[in-house]
Amino acid sequence: MLYRSFLRDLAAEALTAAETIAGENVFTARSLPIKADLLPAIYLQVPEDRGESAGRFQPQFTRVSTLAIRGKLKAATPMDVELALEGFAEQIELALMTNVRLQEAITQVTELTTSIVVSSDQSDHIGEVRMILGLEYIETYPPPGTPLAEIDATLFSPDNPAFAALRVDFPTD
C-alpha cells in the first residue's frame, strides 16, 4: 500500500473514532456527489503527493501528501448551515491534529487550509467544509543488490603489520 493511502486511511480512522457529527459516514473510496440522505458525511482523498530529493545517494525523499477533506451537511436555513459548518470544521480539525497514530506517522503538518461553501440551489440548504492538509513524511527506498551481512577487516599500521582485526556481523531478519 502506498504510504499516502495509509495516511488517508489513518485520517479516516481518526475521524470515525472522534465521533464527529458525520458518525460512521467517513468515506475514502467513493464518488461525489453524496446524496442528501447520507449527510452529514466526510469524504477523504489524497489527490496530490510530491517529493523532494534528499541528495545524490540512496533514493530518499521528503514527501508531502495533500489530504483533501470534504465535509458535507444540510440544515433548515443558510444561517443554520453556516453555523453547523463552523462546528463541523472544528471537529474535523481537532480529530486530525490530536490523533496520536496519525501524528506519529508524519514529521509535520505543513499546511492547513479551510474554506466553507453554502448552497441553497435546491430545497435543501447544503453546506460543505473543505480542508487541505499537507502531511509530510520521509520515504527511503531500499538500495538494490544483496544486503550487507558482515564486515570482516584487518587494520594495519606501518610499525605493526597485524595491528587489529575487526569483524561485524549484522542481524538478519
Side-chain angles (χ1 to χ4, degrees), residues 4 7-8 44-50 63-69 110-111 131-137:
R4 60 183 169 259
L7 292 175
R8 181 202 59 216
L44 302 163
Q45 68 179 144
V46 180
E48 183 177 289
D49 181 71
R50 49 192 190 281
R63 299 187 76 129
V64 177
S65 292
T66 301
L67 178 65
I69 304 155
T110 61
E111 66 176 301
M131 293 182 138
I132 299 289
L133 276 78
L135 305 178
E136 182 185 86
Y137 60 98

Side-chain angles (χ1 to χ4, degrees), residues 5 10 12-13 18 30-31 34 61 73 77 82-83 86 95 100-101 106 117 121-122 125 128 133 135-137 140 159:
S5 299
L10 279 179
E13 289 173 18
R30 179 184 177 89
S31 63
I34 297 172
F61 293 89
L73 55 78
T77 69
E82 192 161 335
L83 291 173
E86 290 173 1
V100 174
R101 286 195 67 216
I106 61 175
V117 178
D121 293 341
Q122 301 179 15
H125 302 285
E128 182 174 336
L133 276 78
L135 305 178
E136 182 185 86
Y137 60 98
T140 303
D159 296 334

Side-chain angles (χ1 to χ4, degrees), residues 92-113:
I92 293 168
E93 188 174 328
L94 283 172
L96 297 175
M97 300 306 279
T98 62
N99 183 271
V100 174
R101 286 195 67 216
L102 177 62
Q103 293 299 317
E104 71 185 7
I106 61 175
T107 55
Q108 70 170 327
V109 176
T110 61
E111 66 176 301
L112 172 61
T113 305

Side-chain angles (χ1 to χ4, degrees), residues 142-155:
T146 305
L148 185 63
E150 69 179 17
I151 296 175
D152 194 357
T154 303
L155 305 175

